[in-house]
Amino acid sequence: MTKLAASITVMTLLLAACKPAATAPAHDIPAAMRQTATTLLQSTLLHATSIAVVYRGKEFVLHQGELETGKANPPNDTTLYEIGSVSKTFAGLLLANAVLDGKAALDDPIQQYLPEAYPNLQWQGQPVLLRHLITHTSTMPGMLPLQVNAILQDFTAHATPAKLNAAYADYGQQQFWQDLHAVSIKGPLGEDYAYSSAGTELIAHTLETIYAMPYEVLLTQFIAREAGMHDTRLKIAAGDSDRLAPGYHSDNPVVTTPMPQLPWGAAGNLKSTVPDMAKYLRLQLSAHRAVVESHKPLVRFQDDFSIGYFWNIGSNRQLGTHYVHHGGVPRAQSYAWVVPQYQLGIFIITNQSGDATAGAMESALAPIFDTVESMESAK
């Protein structure tokens, strides 16, 4: 999501930067997670939440609420959630691995990986580079096809999911390549933050070109091998459709449809279980060389806000340097936090998506952060 995601990113980092010192006593992590879930589910419209916390090698998972009000169907370890744009951090990790393998360089023009000439992907003679795409500084449009950006201007309108479904009903890679010719790069390159899911899709294609295999295969093989993740995928098999969490868009009380499939899916189509996301947090807290590379700050926008390989990098008194990404689709929103100073990782998701959802999650996480800070101060 373009406008929504960009505003959430700014809000996240501003809230983190302004967070006061912890005043909560040092409760244990499970108690703090229960407090977070209880607080979150007091928010209007929210039905259920799942949370994974990894703290200094220990793993905690909590599910609370009902996926559908009154149906007594709480989420569990087998529930598949749509994690939205947190998917981008996976693409960033794969590109970091390709850079370390010597198969790509951040200063490679994207044109060298494309199937035909795109003379429009430049600004004043400067080509769009891989580093511009992974740092959202290419000034690429948020989404392709271009009309989707207009649809998302009114994200909370009840008609939005149906309009997205219609826009992507017959929209594949061929149509993407055609529409890419109409993209206008406004410039300057490498300076201004302009969130682009279309740019992420180009990174997925680049990885396919580099490794000569479909992005989905490359991704699932990598995370299975490096993190033991076997329940994360771009597409849902027919036999697993009943595991996909139902979800609600805005204030519509009727369950809505899943996010439609994007041409490659790297920008926001991943589905995962919470135990698998705990494994992802473990990987992100490790010294894996691709993780270390993907966490490098590539563009600094403010003293306390940089960006790496799609990760937003914040810095504040309570958490030190940390990595954050929000995910949002029309029926789910999530956050992933990685806090190396405390060897802390948090993934939280709820099966509702509206303007207030991200802020509710942000506020509800305070007990976990405060508890960890208290525990660390007591050492």
Side-chain angles (χ1 to χ4, degrees):
M1 301 304 161
T2 52
K3 183 178 179 182
L4 176 68
S7 63
I8 285 169
T9 295
V10 174
M11 178 191 69
T12 297
L13 294 162
L14 286 175
L15 285 172
C18 298
K19 190 165 179 58
T23 56
H27 298 304
D28 63 5
I29 299 295
M33 292 170 69
R34 289 192 294 271
Q35 185 178 349
T36 288
T38 299
T39 299
L40 181 61
L41 296 185
Q42 289 172 348
S43 305
T44 305
L45 305 176
L46 299 190
H47 299 87
T49 187
S50 294
I51 308 171
V53 173
V54 174
Y55 174 57
R56 297 208 175 276
K58 296 182 179 179
E59 185 177 307
F60 308 90
V61 171
L62 173 72
H63 307 283
Q64 194 161 311
E66 297 177 313
L67 291 170
E68 296 173 88
T69 301
K71 290 199 174 182
N73 58 342
N76 57 46
D77 285 357
T78 68
T79 301
L80 285 166
Y81 280 108
E82 296 170 87
I83 69 171
S85 287
V86 174
S87 305
K88 291 179 172 67
T89 67
F90 288 75
L93 182 61
L94 290 176
L95 184 63
N97 192 64
V99 168
L100 292 173
D101 282 347
K103 296 181 179 296
L106 291 179
D107 289 326
D108 287 345
I110 184 59
Q111 179 63 67
Q112 76 182 58
Y113 298 101
L114 302 185
E116 57 188 279
Y118 286 89
N120 55 315
L121 297 185
Q122 59 83 32
W123 180 75
Q124 295 187 355
Q126 302 174 38
V128 172
L129 308 178
L130 294 184
R131 72 166 60 246
H132 299 144
L133 297 175
I134 63 169
T135 57
H136 296 299
T137 58
S138 69
T139 71
M140 285 273 293
M143 304 286 283
L144 288 179
L146 290 172
Q147 66 263 29
V148 170
N149 299 291
I151 294 171
L152 294 177
Q153 289 296 313
D154 193 6
F155 177 76
T156 59
H158 286 197
T160 295
K163 289 181 178 180
L164 287 175
N165 290 338
Y168 286 108
D170 298 304
Y171 195 84
Q173 294 177 14
Q174 181 178 352
Q175 290 77 18
F176 181 95
W177 294 129
Q178 292 171 356
D179 287 347
L180 190 61
H181 283 293
V183 165
S184 177
I185 301 300
K186 307 296 184 185
L189 295 168
E191 296 183 14
D192 298 327
Y193 185 96
Y195 192 84
S196 176
S197 291
T200 311
E201 295 289 271
L202 284 177
I203 291 295
H205 168 76
T206 297
L207 289 162
E208 289 188 341
T209 302
I210 290 170
Y211 290 102
M213 68 174 66
Y215 177 74
E216 182 170 25
V217 174
L218 176 66
L219 173 63
T220 54
Q221 288 183 355
F222 183 89
I223 61 177
R225 181 178 67 248
E226 305 299 333
M229 298 172 67
H230 299 282
D231 220 358
T232 301
R233 71 289 303 267
L234 288 171
K235 298 174 183 175
I236 297 292
D240 286 333
S241 59
D242 61 338
R243 295 174 55 197
L244 186 63
Y248 298 84
H249 172 253
S250 185
D251 61 351
N252 192 335
V254 179
V255 170
T256 194
T257 51
M259 177 69 186
Q261 189 66 37
L262 303 174
W264 285 268
N269 277 136
L270 272 181
K271 292 87 175 171
S272 187
T273 63
V274 172
D276 245 30
M277 290 305 295
K279 294 177 181 177
Y280 187 58
L281 294 175
R282 285 185 179 276
L283 177 64
Q284 288 292 328
L285 288 166
S286 75
H288 190 289
R289 65 181 196 133
V291 169
V292 174
E293 174 68 22
S294 72
H295 287 180
K296 288 181 178 178
L298 300 177
V299 178
R300 185 175 301 278
F301 299 103
Q302 301 170 15
D303 289 344
D304 56 357
F305 175 28
S306 303
I307 191 165
Y309 287 67
F310 289 128
W311 280 107
N312 301 303
I313 307 171
S315 179
N316 63 40
R317 183 209 58 79
Q318 184 182 40
L319 303 179
T321 299
H322 54 276
Y323 306 85
V324 188
H325 210 293
H326 171 266
V329 295
R331 64 182 201 164
Q333 287 195 29
S334 64
Y335 267 117
W337 291 72
V338 178
V339 187
Q341 174 176 304
Y342 297 147
Q343 277 294 291
L344 172 68
I346 301 174
F347 176 76
I348 183 170
I349 192 162
T350 184
N351 66 327
Q352 188 272 348
S353 185
D355 282 347
T357 309
M361 286 192 291
E362 184 85 30
S363 299
L365 284 170
I368 299 176
F369 292 130
D370 290 347
T371 293
V372 168
E373 184 185 22
S374 297
M375 292 169 71
E376 291 287 323
S377 298
K379 290 183 177 180

